[in-house]
Amino acid sequence: MEWGHPYLVNACFALTFSLLILVATSRAEDGDGVLRLVGGGLGYGRVEVYMNGTWGTVCDDSWDNKDAIVVCQQLGFSGGVNHHGAKYGQGTGPIHFDDVNCVGSEKRLLECKRSLLRHNCDHGEDASVTCSVTTGALRLAGGDFSYGRVEVYMNSQWGTVCDDGWDDKDASVVCHQLGFSGGFGYQKASFGEGSGAIHMDDVKCGGGEKRLMDCPRNTYAHDCGHYEDAAVTCTGASKLRLIGGDSHSGRVEISFFDGPWGTICDRSWDNNETRVVCRSLGLSGGMAVDGVTRFGQGSGDIVLGNFACTGTELDLLDCPRQDNLLQCSHLKDAGVECEPIGKYQSMFMMLV
């Protein structure tokens, strides 16, 4: 069979597109097992787990304090107690886990024994927890459950972390403590200024610490203001979309773990970044354009920015990145113009 045969050309493009889908699927599965508490408040609520690209609840059959301890420790707390009977309201959608039977020492709820058979539950049996807030507990404020200003509980109160020396190693420790696979660090109150105490300064994590409290830091009086509050964006399962244009162009928006969509700041945004975005969407080419002029301003949070891609990466989250979202607003929302696969397929077939 000759190389120019249409069947072979179509097969090559089908294989390429399948590989792109496999990459996207693998990236999504990275988020399996991430937890959130819904219907309550900080440290208490209905337990929801991210599996197979969707959020779902946990049935309360056999649910006890050992299970609650694992949930709470995965979320960065010291311990917790269990609740049955949808104490914090009934969820919707799938019920991912049933007959959970943790020992209490597991690092993640996903590691606990559970029934692999079809469950016999309804949302009236959604499990929930109340976690204990003790020294070293973390929370993210000013954003969503996977990104925001870092706040740490010390001396019986919540406070912020100064961004002096704050980098991706520090962010990785924060995100691991909160049950995520990794994350990016941001400086200069990228998700708003906090209030009250500034508990930590000059944090210098190696990246392998279990808790932020384990990282070396300045133990003397800080010289910071809340305009220097450190922040993170924790990563895992992510999705990209193009808004305001057509099937191959638009304002770039990203969502983590099926959470709210946010925009990307276009500082340092060029054709290298757009090639990566287009590739991850199964498209070709990639040209940076003025996102606001072409596609309008976005809304909600600006969750990422200041990338320095080489253009060869398979995913935007694999790109090197600078450390703050300074001077970013929705007037700087990033946009792209990709080439549809069909155009390149036609050109390739004409050449061969």
Side-chain angles (χ1 to χ4, degrees):
M1 184 181 295
E2 296 182 357
W3 279 107
H5 194 283
Y7 177 81
L8 187 55
V9 172
N10 288 332
C12 289
F13 276 95
L15 178 59
T16 301
F17 189 67
S18 297
L19 289 173
L20 287 167
I21 292 175
L22 285 173
V23 169
T25 301
S26 176
R27 176 71 63 173
E29 289 176 350
D30 287 344
D32 278 1
V34 167
L35 301 179
R36 67 182 181 185
L37 301 181
V38 180
L42 176 67
Y44 63 95
R46 179 177 65 253
V47 179
E48 296 196 352
V49 59
Y50 190 82
M51 294 290 292
N52 304 318
T54 62
W55 287 101
T57 62
V58 178
C59 183
D60 65 11
D61 291 347
S62 304
W63 190 251
D64 61 19
N65 285 344
K66 292 179 181 178
D67 308 318
I69 288 170
V70 173
V71 166
C72 293
Q73 289 184 346
Q74 180 176 336
L75 291 170
F77 299 97
S78 60
V81 296
N82 78 93
H83 304 291
H84 286 235
K87 178 179 174 67
Y88 294 105
Q90 296 186 23
T92 59
I95 298 173
H96 283 318
F97 291 176
D98 186 19
D99 295 315
V100 176
N101 185 20
C102 299
V103 174
S105 59
E106 296 88 349
K107 300 298 184 184
R108 309 176 73 210
L109 189 66
L110 193 61
E111 298 172 4
C112 297
K113 294 180 180 179
R114 62 185 188 275
S115 173
L116 299 178
L117 303 176
R118 183 176 179 83
H119 68 78
N120 58 351
C121 308
D122 59 43
H123 285 296
E125 301 171 84
D126 285 343
S128 55
V129 297
T130 297
C131 300
S132 307
V133 181
T134 57
T135 297
L138 299 178
R139 69 181 182 186
L140 302 181
D144 191 51
F145 85 100
S146 65
Y147 58 87
R149 180 176 62 252
V150 179
E151 298 193 351
V152 58
Y153 192 77
M154 295 177 65
N155 303 321
S156 302
Q157 63 177 328
W158 289 99
T160 62
V161 177
C162 184
D163 66 9
D164 291 345
W166 189 255
D167 61 18
D168 287 351
K169 291 181 180 178
D170 307 315
S172 178
V173 173
V174 167
C175 293
H176 286 158
Q177 182 176 336
L178 293 171
F180 298 95
S181 60
F184 298 139
Y186 288 105
Q187 299 181 352
K188 304 301 181 185
S190 292
F191 292 100
E193 296 184 16
S195 59
I198 298 174
H199 284 319
M200 294 184 178
D201 186 20
D202 294 313
V203 177
K204 298 186 185 303
C205 299
E209 295 87 351
K210 299 296 184 184
R211 307 175 76 219
L212 190 64
M213 289 284 291
D214 299 333
C215 297
R217 65 183 188 276
N218 177 13
T219 57
Y220 301 100
H222 67 78
D223 58 351
C224 307
H226 282 297
Y227 64 92
E228 300 172 89
D229 284 342
V232 299
T233 293
C234 297
T235 57
S238 62
K239 298 177 182 178
L240 288 175
R241 69 180 183 182
L242 303 180
I243 296 296
D246 52 29
S247 62
H248 57 276
S249 64
R251 181 177 64 251
V252 184
E253 297 191 351
I254 190 167
S255 169
F256 294 103
F257 306 101
D258 274 347
W261 289 94
T263 62
I264 296 174
C265 183
D266 71 359
R267 289 189 65 217
S268 304
W269 190 257
D270 61 23
N271 289 348
N272 286 336
E273 283 73 42
T274 58
R275 279 194 289 270
V276 175
V277 168
C278 294
R279 182 181 300 116
S280 67
L281 291 171
L283 302 170
S284 297
M287 181 173 67
V289 296
D290 186 330
V292 172
T293 301
R294 288 283 303 276
F295 310 118
Q297 295 183 39
S299 59
D301 292 313
I302 302 167
V303 296
L304 291 172
N306 295 2
F307 286 99
C309 302
T310 65
T312 60
E313 296 87 353
L314 293 176
D315 191 280
L316 192 62
L317 300 182
D318 297 329
C319 295
R321 184 201 51 80
Q322 300 177 31
D323 60 4
N324 62 63
L325 295 174
L326 286 176
Q327 300 175 341
C328 292
S329 70
H330 285 300
L331 292 173
K332 292 183 175 293
D333 286 341
V336 300
E337 185 169 327
C338 307
E339 295 289 352
I341 285 288
K343 176 178 179 180
Y344 277 86
Q345 182 174 352
S346 298
M347 291 174 61
F348 182 72
M349 292 177 69
M350 289 174 64
L351 288 171
V352 297

